[in-house]
Amino acid sequence: MSIDLETAAKVAKLARIKVEEDALAALASEFNTILGFIEQLNEVDVDGIEPMTSVTPQRLKRREDVVTDGNMQDKILSNAPDAREGFFAVPKVVE
């Protein structure tokens, strides 16, 4: 797969990146380099290899899944710029 100038311009527009016309050729070249690297990765045989989330083996910390009411309504609402009747008060946004 090869990226041409038109595709590079479209990607830049979708990413909301302003790219001058004279820089599009360099951008397309960079995209092609990245795609070439991805094609090299696709050639690697990964059958039988389990996915990993980290380079070091880690065990996730676990805790009991217990439902609580929190009992901290006053403490939480103290951070609110405007709280009324035990709830966060927000400005009306829909007429």
Side-chain angles (χ1 to χ4, degrees):
M1 179 177 200
S2 180
I3 302 291
D4 59 359
L5 295 180
E6 181 179 320
T7 306
K10 184 176 180 180
V11 170
K13 181 179 179 185
L14 289 172
R16 300 194 190 310
I17 300 171
K18 183 178 180 181
V19 179
E20 301 296 331
E21 286 291 325
D22 57 338
L24 280 176
L27 182 63
S29 175
E30 287 183 42
F31 284 153
N32 285 321
T33 302
I34 293 168
L35 289 176
F37 180 68
I38 292 171
E39 287 175 4
Q40 282 181 340
L41 291 176
N42 284 334
E43 294 172 4
V44 176
D45 181 23
V46 292
D47 290 337
I49 298 174
E50 292 192 28
M52 46 190 269
T53 58
S54 175
V55 294
T56 59
Q58 296 178 347
R59 194 86 180 133
L60 293 176
K61 295 179 183 176
R62 302 199 183 254
R63 61 173 172 79
E64 286 283 324
D65 190 13
V66 179
V67 177
T68 64
D69 65 353
N71 256 351
M72 297 187 297
Q73 182 180 23
D74 294 333
K75 188 175 179 182
I76 292 170
L77 288 176
S78 70
N79 293 320
D82 188 9
R84 296 181 198 155
E85 299 175 16
F87 297 98
F88 287 98
V90 295
K92 185 177 180 180
V93 293
V94 178
E95 294 295 325

